[in-house]
Amino acid sequence: MSEPKITFFDIPSLCKPQAWSPNTWKARLVLNYKQIPYKTVWVAYPDIEDTLKKIGGKPTDIKPNTKDGSNEPLYTLPAILDESTDTPVVITESLAIMEYLDAKYPDRPVLPKRGRALEHAFARFFGNIPGEPIPRLMTRPTMEIHDARSKLYVEQTRWDWYNIKCSEISPEGPVRDGHWNELEKGLDKLAEVLDKNGPDAEWVAGHSEPTRADFTMVAWLLWIKIVSPDEWEKKVKPLNGGRWDKLLKKTEAWQTVE
C-alpha cells in the first residue's frame, strides 16, 4: 500500500489515543468522514511554529498581548500538507482545511454550496453560547495530559499573553460550579435550537448527512470527554436526555486515530 499523500499535523497528549484538541478534531473528523487517506504527524506545542514555517504553513492569527506592539504572528494547528500534486499544498486552520478538502474531494461535502451562511452562523452561535465556558473549564484538566515540556510552554505563553496562570482558571468550588451551570444553560439553548428541526432531523442543517456544524459540536464535546472523563460522566452525559453522549456515539466511526 502506498504512503498517504496527505499529512495531518496534530497536537499530542498523554492520552490513548493522543488526539484531544477541539480545533484539530474538527479537521480530523472531516478527513475520516470523507474517507481521505492521511497520516498523522504529532507536533508538540513548542515545535508548532518552527514546523509550520519549515513546510510553508501560514500563521492563523496574531499573538495576544504582544508587548512591543509588533503584531507577532501566531502559528497553530491543525494543518495539512497535501503532496498529491507536483507543488505541495499546506493549509492551516480547520475551516480552510474543510474548504480545501471539499474542493479537491467533493464527495461527502461538509460545507454545502447552499446553506453556508447557516454553517457560519451556527459556528458563531456555538462559540458564544454553549462553547464559551468550555475553555475555562478544560484548561486545568488539559494541562494534566501534556508532557512536562509542553506544559511549561503553555503555562509561560498564557502568562505572557493573558497575564494569568493556568492553575488559577476555573478553580474548584463556586467559580467552577458557576462555569458548569453556564455550560448547562448553553446546552439547553442549543438543544432548544436543534429541536426546531423536528424529531426526524439527525443533523444541524436538517440534511441526511452531517456538515461542519455537526463536526464543530462533536469536536468540542470530545474535548470534555477526553481530558475530563469523570466530569463528562457527571456533568454533561446526563444533560438533555443524554443527547450529547448519543451524538458522540453516532459519530464514533469518524473518531478514529491511527
Side-chain angles (χ1 to χ4, degrees), residues 19 33-34 42 48 50 64 80 88 101 119-120 138 162 168 170 172 180 182 188 191 193 200 202 237-238:
Y33 170 71
K34 293 174 76 69
W42 300 99
I48 291 174
D50 287 346
I80 62 168
L101 294 176
E119 295 295 324
H120 287 277
M138 291 300 107
Y162 306 114
E168 296 176 350
S170 193
E172 297 295 338
W180 282 115
E182 188 178 342
D188 285 343
V193 169
D200 298 326
E202 287 194 66
K237 185 176 178 179

Side-chain angles (χ1 to χ4, degrees), residues 62-126:
I62 300 297
K63 290 181 180 178
N65 194 27
T66 306
K67 295 176 182 178
D68 60 2
S70 61
N71 290 331
E72 189 177 353
L74 176 65
Y75 291 82
T76 63
L77 296 181
I80 62 168
L81 169 64
D82 185 356
E83 299 178 279
S84 63
T85 59
D86 292 338
T87 303
V89 176
V90 180
I91 307 292
T92 55
E93 199 273 323
S94 59
L95 175 57
I97 290 171
M98 293 181 197
E99 291 173 336
Y100 175 82
L101 294 176
D102 264 6
K104 185 162 184 179
Y105 304 92
D107 289 347
R108 313 190 87 180
V110 297
L111 287 164
K113 293 180 179 179
R114 291 184 178 273
R116 290 202 175 191
L118 169 65
E119 295 295 324
H120 287 277
F122 182 85
R124 181 69 60 88
F125 166 78
F126 187 91

